[in-house]
Amino acid sequence: MLYVVITFLWASILLYLLLGGADFGAGIIELFTSEKNRSRTRKTMYQAIGPIWEANHMWLIIAIVILFVGFPAIYSTMSVYLHIPLTVMLMGIIARGTAFAFRHHDAVVDDWQTVYNRIFTWSSVVTPLFLGIIAGSAVSGRINPAAGNFLDAYVFSWLDWFTVAVGLFTVAICAFLAAVYLIGETDNEMDRRRFIHKTQSSNIAAVICGALVFTAAHFEGIPLMHWIFGNLVGVFSIIAATLSLVLMWYLLRKGKTKILRLLAGSQVTMILLAVTWHHFPRIVLFTNGGYLSLMEHHGHDKTIASLGWALLLGSIFILPALFYLIYSFQQKNGNGVEEAH
Amino acid sequence: MNDFLAARSQMALSLGFHIVFSCIGMVMPFFMAVSHFYWLKTNKQVYKNITKAWSKGVAIFFATGAVSGTVLSFELGLLWPTFMKHAGPIFGMPFSLEGTAFFIEAIALGFFMYGWNRFNRWFHWFTGVVVGVSGLVSGILVVAANAWMNSPAGFDYVNGEYLNIDPIAAMFNDAWFSQALHMSVAAFVATGFAVAGIHAMMIAKGKNIEFHTKSFRIAAIFACVAAVLQPLSGDISAKDVAKRQPAKLAAMEAHFETQQSAPLIIGGIPDEKNKTVKYAIKLPGMLSFMAHGDFKAEVKGLDQIPEDEHPPVAITHYAFQIMVGLGMVMVLLAILYFIALWKKKSWLQSKWLLKFFVLATPMGFIAVEAGWTVTEVGRQPWIIHGVMRTADAVTPMPGIAYSFYLFTCVYVSLAAIVTFMLYRQIRMVDKLYDVPSSENPVKH
Ligand code: HDD
Ligand code: HEM
Ligand code: HEM
């Protein structure tokens, strides 16, 4: 059962990165869209993600619940040392979720829309940035339980060049996922071109940020190269990701949206696989070389068993319903999603 | 403000905020399902308009409920890491099931909100009902988790260690049923009176009479039935508390001395130093009856409980008085409304009845907040009753006060914006929702 639970944890993190990520990315893209195209981008985005919007963010809740029920030591340690970035991320989640609802459901359309839009786009950047920072700091061995003062314990446990680079990389990935996704959601050639262009630029940004991550790791003395290239799975994932990148650039011109989405999704999956493979099962590393491991620091067997059953049972209900939801709103029957205004 | 107090205040603030949205998220889908049903049955446009108008408003509440709930699931760890470290694996069962309930709710909400004219009409209606049912189930599950904190079960606590963990037994602890029942009914009372009150105000102002009268009717019936049931369920809760948490009961009642035929104390100002209550009305024997179903029974007072295990008496007592007082007022209003429905139809047209409903708009929610204050403050100083103290559970990170200020600002502004939006929705009923023909529905 422990493996079932760990699989669910990994899968919900992946799905949050893919679906929630595309969702954040839509906001990031809006930020980088010229004034005159913004409202069209917004409309495309709303039609694309409106119906599945709430569901996309449930993956985060699932991951958190798995952590605090199944791996309480990991959850509470991260909560203590990463309190500040977690709080910032929460602020981002609050701002983004409410601004999204406000701008689409406000009964009167007036200047307030500008306020909602601004909050929405900026929090779309801040939230994944801090998600990346949190992930980066957990695995990079920054957390120092022996720290004697506030700064060392609660600030430098998450703030350095490496974690910031991981944060930026996450932001770029989100934008990339969204751009690829939106290519298939437009109804006219001009927008399609715009999103293809956005895909290319966000992809370049992701590659640059990726390089930044490696550079920062080098300066911070983190053996990232070894983590990723020190094992076959890592090497293969990175090779696969690179190959599919080449393929994708080629296909971008042809505009095969389904394949493009698949490729983008698998690239991100490969990257997550590469970075988690070496670490597994250790997901929180300390400065003193200690660690918290999924295999050792889990709840009691009975807890894990019931958690596993709850997850399995839940997926029987959730997955078909979710697929049907996505499927129904993918069918373009000319009706379109009802827009708020 | 010290860190411990700040953490407690931040938790109370976040939960007090979330509860409002979650009550609405649990109950509004049922109101919508009723008007939606009338529309499908009678084809009267006004019912479709009501359903749509409500669903627009509810979308805002849903989003706010979802983000504030997400915040809570992190805050449990951010503020109480020691608690979560030990309690997580024990009381986590309802949370893991709740994840499923939320997920289904979110999916069904997607179908319902965006599915107009896209699906079979009854399938569409059904997705709305699923939103309500899964919301209700998730509410019950969270409350079962909270009940575990009042009535720990499903583990053995030996020399500071938590052994023989049984998550299922923990979920079905002694308090889960009484709390879940009381909470679910409370959600209907609170949301019902709030919605009915708002529509009553619009009727009184003479705006969109048909639209508001029909909406009022749906909300008022739910609210009034629930209001009558609530004291019955409250009585079950009280008996339950008397059994499992005598200190909480004593604090609720400001009952300082153990005695037989204990009096029920109404109102008054508890004086914790001198262990007396000033200016109170005392009903002899009633407390014994309320707690144990027998006018003569002995009721444990605070004198039999070690000083360092006393909850704050004044807050718990006042909160309890507020909840019960408002509960009684709402029962009276409900009875008036039933009389009007069955015997005195003329009252339904009268202004005074509407005015009472307008006055009752916030009462349910105030009672909900007060009720939770009773439960939570009355459990102090324990975070897990009899097992772990709240003070030992708090995060070691200093400076929580700043976090509390930040959250206060955020929640206060959010509350202001949500109120403002609701105001705009209501003001726009004329233009957007109360349109006569189906050729000209909500503008898209
Ligand atoms: C509309 C709201 C509302 C109304 C009218 C009432 N309550 Fe209540 N009460 C709640 C809303 C509530 C609540 C917010 O939902 C609580 C907090 C925790 C819970 O399970 O329910 C609660 C808790 C609560 C508790 C503590 C339960 C515990 O700690 O386990 C008791 C003893 C009562 N109530 C008793 C009553 C009585 C005797 C009422 C008589 C009219 C009453 N309540 C009306
Ligand atoms: C939604 C309605 C709720 C409200 C308004 C509420 C209110 C409060 C208040 C006022 C406190 C501070 C008590 C004090 O320190 O004096 C508190 C503490 C707390 N509550 Fe609740 N509560 C609610 C529901 C819940 C639920 C459902 C849970 C958990 C499943 C929960 C878990 C906690 C925890 C962990 C604390 C901190 C420890 C403590 O003070 O005992 N609460 N809450
Ligand atoms: C008495 C206390 C509580 C009740 C009755 C309650 C009930 C609910 C309900 C019915 C919803 C769905 C309605 C909506 O989305 O607006 C909801 C949302 C949520 N609640 Fe609570 N809740 C309570 C406390 C908590 C606590 C303590 C937590 C965290 C551990 C929590 C976590 C969540 C989350 C994550 C959501 C969002 C789910 C979604 O997107 O649908 N809630 N709550």
Side-chain angles (χ1 to χ4, degrees), chain A residues 7 17 52 102 138 159 180 224 234 329:
Chain A
T7 311
L17 186 62
I52 45 172
F102 293 167
L159 187 64
V180 173
L224 186 63
F329 287 98

Side-chain angles (χ1 to χ4, degrees), chain A residues 257-276:
Chain A
T257 39
K258 289 242 167 66
I259 305 184
L260 282 177
R261 281 182 195 175
L262 213 67
L263 285 176
S266 63
Q267 276 166 29
V268 175
T269 313
M270 290 301 156
I271 293 172
L272 189 68
L273 186 66
V275 293
T276 47

Side-chain angles (χ1 to χ4, degrees), chain A residues 13-36:
Chain A
I13 292 174
L14 174 67
L15 286 167
Y16 187 57
L17 186 62
L18 289 177
L19 301 170
D23 197 313
F24 289 127
I28 303 170
I29 295 212
E30 191 180 321
L31 185 67
F32 286 101
T33 299
S34 62
E35 200 67 58
K36 70 177 204 300

Side-chain angles (χ1 to χ4, degrees), chain A residues 46 50-51 53-55 58-62 64-65 68-69 72-73 75-76 79-80 82-84 86-87 89-91 93-94 97-98 100-102 104-108 110 112 116 150 154 299-300 302-303 306-307 310 314 317-318 321-322 324-325 328-329 331 333 335-341, chain B residues 52 56 59-60 62-64 66-67 70-71 73-74 76-79 81 84-85 88-89 92-93 95-97 99-100 102-104 106-107 109-111 113-119 123 162 165-167 395-398 400 403 406-407 410-411 414 417-418 420-421 424-425 427-428 432 443-444:
Chain A
Y46 181 69
W53 187 78
E54 292 254 359
M58 289 310 299
W59 297 110
L60 177 65
I61 316 254
I62 303 281
I64 282 302
V65 168
F68 80 57
V69 177
Y75 171 81
S76 55
S79 302
V80 171
L82 307 178
H83 191 116
I84 296 172
L86 281 166
T87 303
M89 183 197 75
L90 288 177
M91 291 293 148
I93 289 178
I94 298 181
T98 48
F100 181 85
F102 293 167
H104 292 294
H105 299 292
D106 193 349
V108 185
D110 58 10
W112 276 91
Y116 308 144
F150 185 87
Y154 302 108
H300 304 254
K302 253 195 156 160
T303 305
S306 46
L307 176 60
F317 289 104
I318 292 168
L322 188 60
Y324 185 56
L325 178 72
S328 328
F329 287 98
Q331 301 296 86
N333 52 15
N335 240 331
V337 165
E338 288 204 7
E339 255 250 83
H341 302 291
Chain B
K52 281 221 166 182
K56 285 286 175 208
I60 293 167
F62 260 116
T64 316
V67 293
T70 309
V71 169
S73 54
F74 283 90
L76 284 174
L78 291 176
L79 300 174
M84 287 310 282
K85 193 167 162 181
M93 195 62 204
F95 284 115
S96 17
L97 294 173
T100 304
F102 281 154
F103 221 126
I104 290 175
I107 294 171
L109 191 68
F111 277 115
M113 294 295 294
Y114 298 87
W116 290 93
N117 307 331
R118 282 184 145 243
F119 299 102
F123 174 75
Y162 299 75
I165 287 176
D166 181 352
T395 178
M397 188 176 108
I400 297 296
S403 158
L406 178 68
F407 275 90
V410 170
Y411 282 142
L414 263 186
I417 302 180
V418 170
F420 170 65
M421 296 247 168
R424 302 231 276 197
Q425 293 279 351
R427 224 189 39 186
M428 294 300 280
L432 289 178
K443 193 177 137 275
H444 301 301

Side-chain angles (χ1 to χ4, degrees), chain B residues 31-49:
Chain B
F31 293 3
M32 290 191 278
V34 171
S35 72
H36 198 168
F37 180 84
Y38 283 143
W39 178 58
L40 294 178
K41 276 280 164 211
T42 64
N43 247 329
K44 281 197 190 142
Q45 185 65 24
V46 62
Y47 284 115
K48 184 181 185 189
N49 293 340

Side-chain angles (χ1 to χ4, degrees), chain B residues 335-353:
Chain B
I335 292 173
L336 281 180
Y337 187 65
F338 288 134
I339 296 178
L341 276 183
W342 282 315
K343 295 263 148 109
K344 307 256 184 195
K345 298 263 189 235
S346 62
W347 289 5
L348 290 175
Q349 313 298 331
S350 59
K351 281 249 153 133
W352 62 266
L353 190 64

Side-chain angles (χ1 to χ4, degrees), chain B residues 281-294:
Chain B
I281 305 169
K282 297 189 180 176
L283 306 180
M286 280 304 285
L287 179 60
S288 296
F289 181 70
M290 201 180 96
H292 301 292
D294 169 4

